[in-house]
Amino acid sequence: MKYPPSCSLKCTGNMAVKVFTHLCQKIYETGKWPADFLQTVIILIEKKPNATKCSDFRTISLLGHAARVLIRVLNKRIEAKANAINHIGKDQFGFRKGKGTRDAIATLRVLGERRLQRGKYLCICFVDYEKAFDRVDWRKMMWMLKDIGVDWRDRNLIAKLYLGQRAVVRIDGELSGYCIIIIIVHL
């Protein structure tokens, strides 16, 4: 039976956990990611059958499990800071634990039904942030993270994570050569 890498990491025991914890602490202290933590495999998923153009595909980046553990720690810290100062509105459903698309649809349905029962108009605006990641203003993002009190070390690791990434594309089991992902980030 083949086990996923995350299970292997869990099964290695206390000594491996100590070594991995020490590695994460060293990354945090130095602000430097190991090169293999920054290597990403990009896979393509068809948006529609028989896709032929690049726009017919959605991409997903796969980072190594070890890198994802540290990224999750950073994510939890940022989430805690944003929640502590009520920076995230209660009406934001995307990218929040316990609030997904179904919740948003249910809310809209209840609002719509109530408005119809009272004979009132209802105007709805949907915003699709397609390719939002590619259009992030990194200066503003770093400024906002600083503004909500995210530690400079966390901001530094986030910036260096995206500055140093290398990626390969996997198509039909074959990997392309590595390319360097270039993003301009201002701290």
Side-chain angles (χ1 to χ4, degrees):
M1 176 180 255
K2 187 176 180 181
Y3 294 100
S6 58
C7 288
S8 301
L9 194 58
K10 289 176 187 175
C11 295
T12 55
N14 288 339
M15 186 59 178
V17 170
K18 286 179 184 178
V19 170
F20 185 70
T21 302
H22 177 72
L23 174 63
C24 288
Q25 288 171 339
K26 187 170 182 164
I27 292 168
Y28 189 73
E29 289 168 7
T30 63
K32 295 179 183 175
W33 291 91
D36 56 336
F37 276 40
L38 301 175
Q39 294 178 358
T40 304
V41 177
I42 298 173
I43 60 170
L44 306 173
I45 299 173
E46 290 183 0
K47 291 182 185 177
K48 50 188 167 185
N50 301 320
T52 56
K53 296 185 284 184
C54 287
S55 60
D56 296 338
F57 292 89
R58 178 175 291 116
T59 59
I60 295 178
S61 297
L62 305 175
L63 281 171
H65 288 280
R68 287 184 19 209
V69 170
L70 192 52
I71 290 167
R72 188 172 177 124
V73 169
L74 290 171
N75 187 44
K76 292 285 183 191
R77 288 182 182 179
I78 293 168
E79 227 175 75
K81 291 283 185 182
N83 288 331
I85 61 170
N86 295 324
H87 195 72
I88 300 173
K90 292 179 182 178
D91 57 349
Q92 180 174 333
F93 288 91
F95 305 105
R96 293 190 68 191
K97 187 175 183 175
K99 285 192 160 200
T101 307
R102 290 182 184 147
D103 300 310
I105 291 169
T107 301
L108 283 172
R109 184 175 178 161
V110 169
L111 286 171
E113 288 172 358
R114 286 183 184 167
R115 297 297 288 186
L116 288 172
Q117 288 170 352
R118 293 185 175 105
K120 303 277 184 175
Y121 290 105
L122 176 66
C123 297
I124 299 173
C125 175
F126 292 97
V127 179
D128 182 5
Y129 290 106
E130 182 183 342
K131 300 178 186 172
F133 180 81
D134 297 335
R135 296 189 174 120
V136 168
D137 184 332
W138 291 92
R139 291 172 299 192
K140 285 183 183 176
M141 186 181 81
M142 289 299 161
W143 178 83
M144 288 182 74
L145 291 174
K146 183 179 181 180
D147 192 50
I148 66 171
V150 173
D151 184 81
W152 70 271
R153 287 185 179 185
D154 293 342
R155 294 192 320 267
N156 181 50
L157 281 172
I158 292 165
K160 288 189 176 176
L161 172 67
Y162 292 107
L163 280 172
Q165 277 194 352
R166 293 174 10 137
V168 293
V169 178
R170 184 171 68 198
I171 302 173
D172 295 330
E174 297 288 323
L175 296 177
S176 70
Y178 273 101
C179 64
I180 296 172
I181 300 172
I182 299 174
I183 297 175
I184 299 171
V185 179
H186 299 278
L187 299 173

